[in-house]
């Protein structure tokens, strides 16, 4: 065989390998092909191609493996069991930038599925190689490495700590400062994934100066970047008062309120989540948000939103109101109660209804004025209906009951309480009757209205245990009226009168 023929054989072999890996990489993009490829043992066929002498074949083989591993946990485990990871990690330090990007993609695809698989990636020594890749000149390699580190860190505090111990955080913060928007996004996301697990991890992120660099990007025109920036600031803020104050001190308010009108709903949701995480800590932080117009802005946001993106806004209003009478009144004055009432009636999801019920409890529990604001929005019958509905989740029933028991003892607005006399079970009814027993002795107009509306008649129909608190409240109400009026509205009185008519003998 001549030299030319030998070269032709090698060329043909190379073309075949190239065509094979390209075809597999293409097939792996379509879910319907995955099971067939898996059954054909494609993993074992791709593994030797990672060591191919032709760089493009190596890169395409790694890309194909990443796409397969990304699809499900079984294929990711096959990558681990096939001893493919050590080869990829070795190549991260040795090969060109295209291969490094593909290798980091495989590590991310494996790590994303579960803490166990992410730990397997770490145990193979991936962290050092990925951290070194963050210092590469090529931004695509940095991005791929940051992405993989974020997917490892997001699972739990232990894995996040390992990412921190490998020295990733300062380099991720440097990546946030790079000009490439895609790299900024992924680095901010990775920082968020590290900070979310514990105050200590969040403090590590803060100590590298991350807050200042994140704060500079809150008005960046790129929506996906803003999502990650607000997510990272939220994950830092949520852990403690000190961390929340450090975020506030970066002077992001009131500038962030403009983002509540951003066209991207996830930007709006993440801004509201940030405000929720800040306001929950102290009255002072809540007051700062109120002073910058944050409460009114969130109420407008609730009016313009639907579904799950409303949840952080609802909770934020609840946290603000929970701190003090004045802060709860700020929510009321900003017309928060009618908007929350709309959320309670509109939203089908029970966890959103439960959060709204909780928020009403925080608003209405302070004084009669606060309770009246909630009662006049016709919220109490809705809360009662949710509590009594057997189809409501346990959490929703508990939240609705707690809200009622928080609001009713403060509520002296009788027109809103009267409908509850006809529907409420005894454990709620006693709070309703108690309020009537407090108000009626002091208000002659209310006493008259209570008779003409049928309220007094209804009270006489209530079956209370002798000596119970409920019976005492009923006695207190009855003592506000002449005895013959109470008898007149008592059950069976009409029959008594008829008997007297029958027995009466005219003169």
């Amino acid at each position: 065989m001549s030299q030319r023929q030998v070269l032709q054989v090698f060329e043909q072999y190379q073309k075949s390998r190239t065509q094979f890996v390209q075809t597999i990489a293409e097939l792996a993009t379509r879910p319907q092909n995955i099971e067939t490829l898996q059954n054909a043992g494609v993993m074992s066929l791709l593994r030797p191609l990672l060591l191919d002498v032709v760089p493009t074949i190596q890169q395409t083989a790694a890309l194909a493996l990443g796409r397969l591993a990304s699809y499900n946990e079984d294929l990711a485990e096959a990558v681990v069991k096939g001893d493919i990871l050590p080869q990829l990690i070795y190549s991260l330090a040795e090969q060109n930038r295209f291969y490094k990007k593909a290798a980091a993609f495989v590590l991310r695809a494996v790590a994303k599925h579960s803490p166990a698989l992410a730990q397997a990636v770490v145990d193979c020594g991936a962290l050092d190689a990925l951290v070194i890749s963050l210092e590469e000149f090529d931004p695509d390699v940095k991005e791929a490495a940051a992405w993989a580190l974020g997917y490892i860190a997001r699972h739990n505090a232990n894995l996040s700590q390992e990412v921190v111990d490998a020295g990733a955080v300062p380099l991720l913060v440097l990546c946030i400062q790079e000009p490439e928007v895609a790299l900024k996004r992924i680095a901010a996301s990775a920082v968020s994934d590290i900070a979310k697990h514990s105050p200590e991890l969040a403090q590590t992120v803060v100590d590298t100066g991350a807050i200042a660099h994140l704060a500079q990007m809150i008005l960046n025109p790129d929506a996906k970047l803003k999502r990650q920036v607000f997510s990272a600031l939220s994950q830092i803020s949520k852990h403690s008062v000190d961390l929340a104050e450090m975020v506030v001190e970066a002077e992001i308010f009131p500038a962030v309120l403009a983002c509540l009108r951003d066209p991207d709903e996830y930007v709006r949701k993440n801004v509201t989540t940030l405000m929720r995480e800040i306001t929950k800590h102290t009255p002072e932080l809540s007051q700062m948000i109120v002073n910058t117009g944050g409460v009114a802005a969130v109420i407008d946001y609730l009016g313009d939103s639907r579904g799950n993106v409303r949840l952080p806004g609802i909770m934020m209003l609840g946290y603000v109101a929970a701190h003090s009478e004045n802060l709860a009144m700020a929510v009321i004055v900003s017309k928060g109660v009618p908007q929350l009432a709309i959320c309670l009636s509109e939203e089908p999801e029970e966890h959103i209804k439960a959060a709204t019920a909780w928020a009403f409890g925080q608003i209405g529990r302070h004084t009669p004025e606060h309770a009246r604001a909630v009662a006049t929005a016709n919220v109490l019958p809705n809360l009662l209906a949710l509590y009594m509905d057997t189809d409501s989740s346990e959490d929703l029933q508990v939240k609705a009951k707690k809200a009622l028991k928080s609001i009713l003892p403060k509520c002296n607005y009788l027109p809103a309480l009267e409908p509850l006399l006809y529907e409420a079970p005894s454990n709620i009814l006693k709070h309703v009757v108690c309020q009537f027993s407090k108000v009626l002795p002091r208000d002659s107009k209310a006493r008259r209205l209570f008779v003409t509306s049928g309220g007094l008649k209804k009270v006489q129909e209530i079956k209370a245990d002798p000596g119970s608190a409920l019976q005492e409240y009923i006695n207190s109400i009855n003592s506000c009226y002449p005895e013959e009026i109470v008898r007149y509205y008592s059950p069976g009185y009409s029959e008594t009168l008829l008997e007297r008519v029958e027995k009466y003998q005219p003169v």
Side-chain angles (χ1 to χ4, degrees):
M1 186 180 289
S2 67
Q3 185 178 1
R4 184 180 173 187
Q5 288 173 314
V6 170
L7 289 172
Q8 283 177 337
V9 170
F10 274 109
E11 281 177 20
Q12 187 60 44
Y13 179 45
Q14 182 175 320
K15 282 181 185 176
S16 298
R17 299 196 314 279
T18 303
Q19 185 180 2
F20 173 75
V21 290
Q22 287 175 344
T23 304
I24 296 299
E26 176 61 28
L27 289 171
T29 60
R30 293 189 283 275
Q32 64 268 30
N33 297 327
I34 300 294
E35 190 176 344
T36 307
L37 290 170
Q38 187 176 2
N39 293 338
V42 74
M43 291 290 193
S44 58
L45 298 173
L46 288 170
R47 185 189 171 201
L49 296 176
L50 293 171
L51 300 169
D52 201 280
V53 292
V54 180
T56 54
I57 293 174
Q58 293 178 357
Q59 295 150 26
T60 313
L63 179 64
L65 279 168
R67 287 175 177 171
L68 289 164
S70 183
Y71 183 73
N72 66 33
E73 198 167 333
D74 290 342
L75 286 163
E77 284 179 359
V79 171
V80 174
K81 289 174 182 173
D83 284 334
I84 293 168
L85 293 180
Q87 178 57 46
L88 288 168
I89 292 161
Y90 172 77
S91 302
L92 264 175
E94 301 293 326
Q95 299 286 357
N96 63 34
R97 60 196 177 98
F98 300 107
Y99 187 89
K100 288 178 178 179
K101 183 182 173 185
F105 169 56
V106 180
L107 296 175
R108 165 166 62 97
V110 172
K112 77 174 188 178
H113 292 288
S114 70
L117 285 167
Q119 190 64 57
V121 171
V122 171
D123 291 343
C124 288
L127 291 179
D128 289 340
L130 289 168
V131 169
I132 290 168
S133 296
L134 289 176
E135 298 183 88
E136 283 281 333
F137 177 76
D138 185 81
D140 289 341
V141 176
K142 288 181 184 176
E143 182 187 330
W147 214 339
L149 289 165
Y151 270 62
I152 292 167
R154 69 173 47 180
H155 289 293
N156 58 45
N158 290 337
L159 285 163
S160 270
Q161 190 62 56
E162 294 205 53
V163 171
V164 169
D165 293 342
V169 175
L171 294 171
L172 287 169
V173 174
L174 284 174
C175 289
I176 289 173
Q177 301 166 63
E178 294 284 355
E180 292 81 13
V181 173
L183 177 55
K184 286 177 182 286
R185 282 182 206 149
I186 302 304
S189 174
V191 164
S192 177
D193 285 329
I194 292 167
K196 72 182 182 182
H197 295 292
S198 71
E200 294 76 21
L201 286 163
Q203 189 65 54
T204 302
V205 168
V206 170
D207 290 344
T208 60
I211 291 175
H213 298 297
L214 290 166
Q216 288 171 9
M217 298 187 291
I218 59 173
L219 298 179
N220 191 288
D222 185 79
K224 289 180 179 176
L225 174 57
K226 282 187 287 190
R227 288 182 195 176
Q228 302 303 338
V229 167
F230 289 124
S231 172
L233 291 171
S234 301
Q235 300 293 6
I236 292 167
S237 302
K238 75 180 185 181
H239 293 293
S240 70
V241 177
D242 290 343
L243 288 166
E245 286 177 346
M246 291 176 82
V247 170
V248 169
E249 285 163 8
E251 298 183 350
I252 59 173
F253 290 96
V256 297
L257 300 184
C259 296
L260 285 172
R261 296 186 296 275
D262 195 278
D264 187 281
E265 73 171 2
Y266 292 103
V267 170
R268 299 197 302 272
K269 181 185 179 185
N270 289 359
V271 173
T272 317
T273 302
L274 170 61
M275 293 168 72
R276 178 191 72 191
E277 300 299 358
I278 290 170
T279 55
K280 75 181 184 183
H281 290 295
T282 64
E284 292 76 20
L285 285 168
S286 284
Q287 189 65 58
M288 185 278 302
I289 298 282
V290 171
N291 293 347
T292 59
V295 166
V298 166
I299 291 165
D300 289 342
Y301 160 81
L302 290 177
D304 297 334
S305 305
R306 296 292 181 274
N308 261 323
V309 292
R310 276 176 159 172
L311 184 60
I314 291 166
M315 294 179 70
M316 179 263 191
L317 294 179
Y319 280 129
V320 171
H323 287 301
S324 71
E325 289 180 21
N326 290 341
L327 286 166
M329 191 52 69
V331 175
I332 292 168
V333 169
S334 299
K335 298 185 169 53
V337 172
Q339 186 55 63
L340 286 169
I342 291 168
C343 294
L344 189 67
S345 60
E346 274 186 357
E347 289 299 332
E349 295 286 341
E350 294 202 336
H351 66 284
I352 300 177
K353 286 183 183 291
T356 311
W358 168 80
F360 276 127
Q362 303 309 312
I363 295 167
R365 68 184 175 85
H366 295 285
T367 70
E369 192 179 357
H370 292 79
R372 185 185 179 112
V374 174
T376 52
N378 200 34
V379 167
L380 299 179
N382 288 344
L383 290 173
L384 181 62
L386 291 169
Y387 167 55
M388 295 179 65
D389 188 349
T390 53
D391 291 333
S392 292
S393 67
E394 184 181 352
D395 182 55
L396 176 53
Q397 288 179 329
V398 168
K399 295 283 198 309
K401 181 174 77 169
K402 281 186 176 178
L404 285 166
K405 288 187 173 182
S406 297
I407 298 163
L408 290 174
K410 297 292 183 182
C411 185
N412 56 18
Y413 182 60
L414 301 188
L417 293 177
E418 197 163 319
L420 305 188
L421 287 172
Y422 297 87
E423 303 291 339
S426 60
N427 61 331
I428 301 296
L429 187 61
K430 69 179 180 184
H431 296 287
V432 179
V433 177
C434 176
Q435 292 309 104
F436 279 101
S437 74
K438 291 177 185 175
V439 176
L440 291 175
R442 305 192 309 270
D443 191 333
S444 59
K445 188 178 177 183
R447 289 198 295 273
R448 178 183 175 84
L449 193 62
F450 193 56
V451 173
T452 57
S453 67
L456 183 61
K457 181 175 185 292
K458 177 60 186 173
V459 166
Q460 306 315 310
E461 294 168 0
I462 295 171
K463 293 179 173 59
D465 295 330
S468 65
L470 180 56
Q471 185 61 59
E472 287 181 22
Y473 301 146
I474 293 170
N475 293 343
S476 179
I477 291 170
N478 289 344
S479 68
C480 297
Y481 296 94
E483 191 177 335
E484 60 269 26
I485 294 291
V486 175
R487 274 206 311 273
Y488 179 76
Y489 286 107
S490 296
Y493 185 67
S494 57
E495 286 83 358
T496 305
L497 283 178
L498 286 171
E499 282 178 21
R500 288 175 64 183
V501 168
E502 287 172 4
K503 292 177 182 177
Y504 181 73
Q505 295 296 326
V507 177

